[in-house]
Amino acid sequence: MVVSSYASINFSSIWIPRCCLLLLLGSSVTVPDIYQPALCSLYAWLRHSSLFTSSTFETWWTVVVYAIIEVSYTYRFGHNPHLRLANCGKDGNTNTKPIPKMQRPKHRLVEGLTYIFPLLLLDLTLIKKYAGVSVQDMALSGNYDLSAVTKTIHGTFLAPTLHNFTLSSPLQTRRALPVESPISRELALQLMTSLFIYDMLFFFFHLTLHHPKFASIHSQHHNHREINPQITNQLDIVERLGLVLLANFSLNIIGAHVLTRTMFVLIFVWLLVDIHSGMDLPWGYDKILPQGWASGSKRHSMHHRVGNRYYEPFFNWWDDAYEWVCRRRVGGRVNVKLNESIDDEAAADPQRVNGLIDPE
């Protein structure tokens, strides 16, 4: 008998990354001075980089980060069958199901273009508005005359402003950045807060996508036989834009620093790929965080199997509250299989179409 990876985890080893995370967060918040010289040097270098000040930086940065993380997860998925959730039976044995059909990077050009094009269109036509940047600097980056600033441009991101298109400046190519670097306390608190906000917003957005009226939008993401890392970006263009806009809103609404946004992409993309990995990894973030806090790959894999529970991407609180409400609905339409385990679902009919809409 081959013991499943989850059962064989030495839980004492989880305390290594857990303690490192606690130490990093704790010191960032309580003694930010120890990180400030490094942060100031890093941000000064970035701020004077033509690449970092480009209006398209965040789009290309996201693409590069996603390519690195997703490819590494896909390689591990293909070369470690014992980690795949589909191969982990509830009796502790490891099955040997064939690897699902996946595409090589060179065959995913259309997928990449459908992601990049609408974002580049926004990057090259709208003025970037970040906290800590004066309206005057925003205006200059958008090719506006400073005498018309108060009448034409509002500093809030909630009021989008088009670039002032002229022959000498046909596109929005530059973004105005804050002068000062953030402190580590600001970075840590903004990262955590933005992730919590996104997690909440996407829960409701995701729940809406599972309504029959929007099934055609979300069905592409559930069109697979076994969840794997490449499913992360298998999205309809409407859903993909919704995901990106919600992430941007989560950062903008709290006035996140530009450097926070750059670091957010790293964590955000890693979490998205991790929950779609289809693997039970020893150091999964759901194991590092306190038990019951995080959804992780197993919980999200169940969502892709049944489709009528576990809508929250990263954490559990909104899902738990939703199920608590559902338990108390008498004669309601929502059907939540509260007593069904992930292993029960793994043993279900393999020909069953992945869940998308509440079957009731």
Side-chain angles (χ1 to χ4, degrees):
M1 176 184 294
V2 180
V3 181
S4 68
S5 62
Y6 184 80
S8 63
I9 290 175
N10 179 3
F11 283 96
S12 62
S13 69
I14 296 300
W15 282 99
I16 298 174
R18 186 175 289 179
C19 289
C20 290
L21 180 62
L22 284 173
L23 180 63
L24 179 62
L25 286 177
S27 59
S28 296
V29 173
T30 58
V31 282
D33 290 346
I34 62 176
Y35 298 103
Q36 203 55 36
L39 280 177
C40 288
S41 298
L42 173 63
Y43 185 66
W45 176 72
L46 289 173
R47 188 168 174 271
H48 291 90
S49 164
S50 58
L51 179 63
F52 192 70
T53 56
S54 168
S55 64
T56 61
F57 171 80
E58 289 186 348
T59 295
W60 294 114
W61 172 239
T62 303
V63 171
V64 170
V65 170
Y66 178 81
I68 294 172
I69 294 177
E70 194 243 74
V71 169
S72 65
Y73 268 79
T74 300
Y75 180 86
R76 194 170 188 184
F77 180 89
H79 290 78
N80 295 274
H82 64 286
L83 293 177
R84 287 164 51 199
L85 291 169
N87 287 341
C88 298
K90 62 181 179 180
D91 57 358
N93 292 321
T94 299
N95 304 315
T96 54
K97 294 182 179 180
I99 296 176
K101 183 179 180 181
M102 293 186 287
Q103 293 182 316
R104 293 184 179 275
K106 64 181 180 180
H107 297 145
R108 301 175 69 188
L109 180 60
V110 174
E111 176 187 322
L113 290 176
T114 57
Y115 171 82
I116 295 171
F117 179 76
L119 298 181
L120 288 181
L121 182 62
L122 295 174
D123 290 338
L124 296 171
T125 56
L126 296 177
I127 294 177
K128 302 290 185 180
K129 298 181 178 181
Y130 301 128
V133 178
S134 68
V135 175
Q136 289 77 11
D137 287 340
M138 293 180 193
L140 290 174
S141 72
N143 193 36
Y144 278 91
D145 187 340
L146 290 182
S147 63
V149 166
T150 57
K151 298 179 180 179
T152 310
I153 300 177
H154 298 280
T156 174
F157 73 96
L158 295 173
T161 304
L162 282 171
H163 178 78
N164 183 26
F165 302 103
T166 63
L167 289 177
S168 60
S169 181
L171 295 172
Q172 176 77 26
T173 59
R174 191 171 65 86
R175 58 179 185 163
L177 302 177
V179 175
E180 301 294 334
S181 68
I183 62 173
S184 62
R185 179 187 296 121
E186 183 181 0
L187 274 177
L189 295 179
Q190 286 181 351
L191 283 171
M192 289 188 290
T193 304
S194 57
L195 284 171
F196 292 150
I197 293 174
Y198 173 84
D199 188 69
M200 174 191 67
L201 295 176
F202 190 80
F203 166 79
F204 290 104
F205 179 61
H206 194 184
L207 189 62
T208 302
L209 290 177
H210 276 261
H211 190 280
K213 291 182 179 179
F214 304 103
S216 60
I217 296 176
H218 195 48
S219 59
Q220 183 176 343
H221 189 57
H222 282 259
N223 184 24
H224 58 82
R225 288 297 177 186
E226 179 185 348
I227 190 170
N228 62 79
Q230 291 190 355
I231 301 300
T232 308
N233 197 44
Q234 185 177 292
L235 302 168
D236 179 90
I237 189 170
V238 174
E239 183 174 0
R240 184 179 287 115
L241 279 175
L243 184 150
V244 172
L245 292 175
L246 287 178
N248 267 286
F249 179 85
S250 302
L251 290 161
N252 288 334
I253 198 67
I254 63 171
H257 193 278
V258 171
L259 194 56
T260 301
R261 298 174 64 92
T262 304
M263 296 179 67
F264 176 89
V265 170
L266 288 169
I267 300 172
F268 179 68
V269 172
W270 166 58
L271 290 175
L272 283 179
V273 176
D274 190 84
I275 64 173
H276 291 95
S277 68
M279 295 182 288
D280 186 20
L281 299 173
W283 277 15
Y285 83 99
D286 56 314
K287 299 180 179 70
I288 296 174
L289 294 179
Q291 186 175 4
W293 280 27
S295 58
S297 59
K298 294 188 77 173
R299 189 149 164 158
H300 198 71
S301 179
M302 179 185 278
H303 167 75
H304 274 251
R305 289 190 177 100
V306 301
N308 60 356
R309 67 184 306 196
Y310 300 154
Y311 303 97
E312 197 172 359
F314 305 143
F315 305 106
N316 291 339
W317 305 303
W318 288 97
D319 274 328
D320 292 345
Y322 176 68
E323 294 196 353
W324 181 85
V325 171
C326 291
R327 287 192 186 99
R328 284 152 181 78
R329 290 187 61 174
V330 179
R333 184 180 179 280
V334 177
N335 175 28
V336 180
K337 301 178 181 180
L338 296 175
N339 297 320
E340 198 164 41
S341 70
I342 189 81
D343 295 321
D344 293 334
E345 286 300 320
D349 181 2
Q351 300 302 316
R352 173 181 174 177
V353 176
N354 289 287
L356 173 61
I357 306 170
D358 185 348
E360 191 172 69

